[in-house]
Amino acid sequence: MAKCPECESDLELDGYELDVGESINCPECSIELKVTGNDPISVSLAPEE
Ligand SMILES: [Zn+2]
């Protein structure tokens, strides 16, 4: 299961259809994350702009 790199909470993304490059927000800390892979799902911090 993917974890938020910021707060390390588990992200329950199973069943979601996420595309690489898509942005999501962590439900715990609300930080913006970018989907970097989908098999398995992995995320990284979105670059701050
Ligand atoms: Zn988080």
Side-chain angles (χ1 to χ4, degrees):
M1 182 177 289
K3 282 192 177 202
C4 173
E6 180 71 9
C7 68
E8 299 197 335
S9 67
D10 290 329
L11 299 171
E12 294 190 31
L13 300 174
D14 292 345
Y16 286 80
E17 289 194 22
L18 294 169
D19 293 321
V20 174
E22 197 164 326
S23 292
I24 61 171
N25 287 89
C26 174
E28 290 297 322
C29 65
S30 297
I31 202 163
E32 189 176 1
L33 304 170
K34 216 170 187 70
V35 179
T36 56
N38 58 11
D39 189 27
I41 290 175
S42 58
V43 297
S44 65
L45 295 177
E48 286 189 43
E49 289 184 36

